[in-house]
């Protein structure tokens, strides 16, 4: 399982919120585009 798949799974299951997914971007686990694919929002969206 890739880090993208792991983060998406945790988000979809409700184990991670948007803030945790943002941390995954900060840690270079996923890209900004992958963040948008997971959450449906851009990094600058509030």
């Amino acid at each position: 399982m890739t880090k993208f798949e792991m983060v998406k799974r945790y988000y979809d299951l409700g184990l991670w919120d948007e803030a945790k997914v943002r941390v995954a971007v900060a840690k270079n686990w996923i890209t900004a585009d992958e963040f948008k694919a997971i959450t449906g929002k851009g990094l600058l969206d509030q």
Side-chain angles (χ1 to χ4, degrees), residues 4 21 25 30-43:
F4 168 77
V21 180
V25 175
I30 61 171
T31 65
D33 288 337
E34 290 171 330
F35 175 87
K36 186 167 187 168
I38 292 169
T39 64
K41 300 179 182 179
L43 280 175

Side-chain angles (χ1 to χ4, degrees), residues 3-44:
K3 290 198 175 180
F4 168 77
E5 292 168 333
M6 181 193 73
V7 172
K8 182 171 180 2
R9 179 175 169 82
Y10 288 178
Y11 182 80
D12 289 345
L13 290 172
L15 300 174
W16 282 20
D17 60 7
E18 187 179 315
K20 283 223 176 200
V21 180
R22 287 180 186 275
V23 171
V25 175
K27 290 186 174 192
N28 293 315
W29 285 11
I30 61 171
T31 65
D33 288 337
E34 290 171 330
F35 175 87
K36 186 167 187 168
I38 292 169
T39 64
K41 300 179 182 179
L43 280 175
L44 299 178

